[in-house]
Amino acid sequence: MTCVQCGKCAKVCEANAITQNPKGVYMINKKLCTGCGKCKEVCPFGVLVKEPEMPTSSKCIACGICVKACPMEVLEIVEK
Ligand code: SF4
Ligand code: SF4
Ligand code: SF4
């Protein structure tokens, strides 16, 4: 699953570690992230990952590598 930039993870983050970059992509500031995992709980699409062995959470950053890699051309990056 890819991130649809709904912002639910950012709203729930008490550390204000998730903010939008100029292109509207929600990014996690690893320096601010406490690893609480609340963002993972609210993401409706299972995009956010918080593995127990990792100190911080991670998410799709709309880098577009999967778009280029998919042989069926199913994915696209859309700028709103
Ligand atoms: S795991 Fe990090 S980014 Fe997610 S809600 Fe907690 S502090 Fe915020
Ligand atoms: S990671 Fe999930 S909750 Fe956060 S903006 Fe993307 S789709 Fe929404
Ligand atoms: S390859 Fe990039 S755009 Fe695709 S799901 Fe992973 S982080 Fe998101």
Side-chain angles (χ1 to χ4, degrees):
M1 297 298 291
T2 52
C3 177
V4 300
Q5 318 303 340
C6 70
K8 288 186 178 175
C9 54
K11 284 197 187 94
V12 80
C13 179
E14 291 171 2
N16 294 320
I18 307 177
T19 53
Q20 276 181 301
N21 71 11
K23 289 200 163 185
V25 177
Y26 282 93
M27 307 283 288
I28 299 171
N29 183 334
K30 303 277 180 177
K31 288 181 184 163
L32 294 177
C33 175
T34 62
C36 70
K38 284 183 183 167
C39 52
K40 178 184 173 181
E41 289 169 22
V42 298
C43 179
F45 307 103
V47 170
L48 263 150
V49 180
K50 173 64 185 71
E51 299 297 342
E53 66 272 21
M54 297 297 287
T56 59
S57 58
S58 298
K59 71 179 283 295
C60 164
I61 56 168
C63 69
I65 289 175
C66 56
V67 176
K68 290 184 189 138
C70 178
M72 302 308 287
E73 299 183 356
V74 166
L75 301 166
E76 63 178 343
I77 299 278
V78 179
E79 288 194 37
K80 292 182 184 170

